[in-house]
Amino acid sequence: MIPFSVLDLSPINKGSTAAQAFNNTKELAQLAEKLGYRRYWLAEHHNMAGIASAATSLVISHVAANTQSIRVGSGGIMLPNHSPLVIAEQFGTLESLYPGRIDLGLGRAPGSDQRTARALRRHMGGDTAENFPQDVQELQDYFAGPSDYQPLRAVPGAGLNVPIWLLGSSMFSAQLAAEMGLPFAFASHFAPGFMKSAVEIYRARFKPSAALQKPYVMLGLNVFAADTDREAVRLFSSLQQQFINLIRGTPGQLNPPVDDIADYWQPGEQTHVERSLACAVVGDRESVREGLQNFIDEMAPDELMITAQIYDHAARLYSFEIVAEVRDQLERSAVV
């Protein structure tokens, strides 16, 4: 059976605080470690009232400090927002503090709107997504250590083994990951449109590297699990509301669930949200088991990255418990 991992945006619930979101993240990470999830990733977003993980490296350290063995990383760091040297130093620091446990997932989107991107980068000249391939190579060079080509030294960072992943929701990162021989994570949990094509291109064009000998694909999947289908559908409505609010240009904190999402969205919004969240498994244990098995059979990922923007913290923890139970059932079935 393939490994399951966790993607967390450290959601700030309506009426709550970032401090509470970080405590919830810690508790979910501790549970994920106990339940045998392989890695716990956090995502960089800015100027979003409902997401607390903007200072992603700091939150990674918070999680790693409060766990023992689970891999912790970024899903991802939006590299165009940063100097590659700074990221090498940050993740070199993390790897030095928590050796053998740190992943560095990289994305080329800003993780924000254009105004926020300008505030992050200070200028929009050469530091754009267009330079992403060169920035990834520069980052790799810092980890490799000084050379005639790259005389600067990342301290800490140089000589450390920090696995680099490329993240994407289109063909670009799939092609780049294949060319550079890096593992590839696709954001199918919110942008599934190019999932199949991107995975096919990545696998077909993959070139072995010192980092990776054969292609490795991780796919994002929303999974909302509860004791009944009805309750799971209700929990899912918080994520649906979040997407509707983004469409309306009114992003905010994560709303509590509603009994009927049809009362919240307009017809055009429904189509957009359903298309964006097509990769979602929502239901009780049996529904989740069937949904996970179908997704795995269809896409044959090497790993699944499970995410669930659930308003009630206890319900969120319970959802990941159910997913772990189902994972173990699928593994036993595969062995038989």
Side-chain angles (χ1 to χ4, degrees):
M1 189 60 193
I2 63 173
F4 283 27
S5 294
V6 177
L7 175 64
D8 181 15
L9 304 184
S10 289
I12 305 175
N13 294 337
K14 189 171 184 178
S16 188
T17 64
Q20 184 60 53
F22 294 141
N23 188 66
N24 292 347
T25 284
K26 178 192 71 175
E27 291 183 358
L28 178 56
Q30 290 171 335
L31 177 67
E33 180 174 72
K34 179 181 177 181
L35 295 173
Y37 287 90
R38 173 166 290 187
R39 59 188 98 238
Y40 195 98
W41 280 9
L42 295 128
E44 177 186 350
H45 292 277
H46 299 278
N47 193 33
M48 300 189 75
I51 297 176
S53 53
T56 315
S57 298
L58 293 177
V59 188
I60 289 171
S61 186
H62 170 62
V63 170
N66 285 282
T67 52
Q68 299 296 321
S69 59
I70 193 169
R71 297 194 66 88
V72 189
S74 59
I77 290 291
M78 301 297 106
L79 192 55
N81 294 340
H82 310 277
S83 155
L85 177 58
V86 169
I87 296 303
E89 292 170 341
Q90 288 180 0
F91 278 77
T93 299
L94 288 168
E95 176 63 22
S96 299
L97 290 169
Y98 314 105
R101 297 180 56 203
I102 301 300
D103 296 326
L104 175 51
L106 301 172
R108 63 188 278 263
S112 60
D113 57 83
Q114 288 302 307
R115 179 179 295 179
T116 307
R118 288 190 185 91
L120 286 164
R121 305 175 196 174
R122 306 304 297 173
H123 64 88
M124 297 293 285
D127 294 335
T128 69
E130 298 303 317
N131 288 338
F132 184 65
Q134 293 87 348
D135 287 346
V136 174
Q137 183 61 62
E138 182 180 345
L139 184 54
Q140 288 182 312
D141 291 340
Y142 288 132
F143 284 124
S147 65
D148 292 340
Y149 171 74
Q150 175 53 267
L152 299 179
R153 177 181 293 274
V155 183
L160 296 180
N161 179 26
V162 179
I164 292 177
W165 294 65
L166 293 193
L167 282 56
S169 58
S170 66
M171 303 300 187
F172 182 91
S173 291
Q175 294 170 341
L176 183 60
E179 178 67 25
M180 300 186 78
L182 294 172
F184 178 54
F186 191 84
S188 34
H189 58 292
F190 71 85
F194 293 103
M195 175 180 63
K196 293 182 180 180
S197 299
V199 170
E200 289 173 0
I201 285 176
Y202 169 71
R203 286 174 169 157
R205 300 185 183 181
F206 181 83
K207 297 180 180 179
S209 69
L212 192 65
Q213 290 299 300
K214 60 181 181 178
Y216 193 95
V217 174
M218 179 158 57
L219 298 179
L221 185 65
N222 297 289
V223 184
F224 287 69
D227 286 332
T228 67
D229 286 342
R230 181 176 180 179
E231 177 59 17
V233 169
R234 183 174 178 274
L235 296 176
F236 186 49
S237 69
S238 291
L239 179 61
Q240 292 171 315
Q241 291 176 73
Q242 190 174 56
F243 270 73
I244 294 166
N245 293 338
L246 285 173
I247 295 168
R248 294 174 179 174
T250 58
Q253 296 179 327
L254 187 66
N255 284 337
V258 295
D259 291 330
D260 189 354
I261 193 65
D263 294 334
Y264 194 86
W265 60 24
Q266 302 299 319
E269 295 171 340
Q270 176 181 356
T271 300
H272 182 88
V273 171
E274 289 179 345
R275 182 170 58 246
S276 298
L277 300 179
C279 287
V281 175
V282 182
D284 64 9
R285 285 170 173 78
E286 187 54 40
S287 297
V288 167
R289 177 188 171 103
E290 181 179 356
L292 286 172
Q293 187 67 71
N294 289 342
F295 187 78
I296 293 169
D297 289 345
E298 179 181 8
M299 294 305 303
D302 298 292
E303 189 168 340
L304 280 183
M305 180 65 78
I306 307 298
T307 185
Q309 292 284 82
I310 295 176
Y311 178 85
D312 181 80
H313 182 52
R316 191 173 188 225
L317 296 176
Y318 189 46
S319 178
F320 279 96
E321 288 180 359
I322 293 174
V323 172
E325 290 176 20
V326 172
R327 175 204 61 201
D328 294 344
Q329 291 171 1
L330 293 174
E331 183 173 6
R332 288 193 293 271
S333 298
V335 171
V336 173

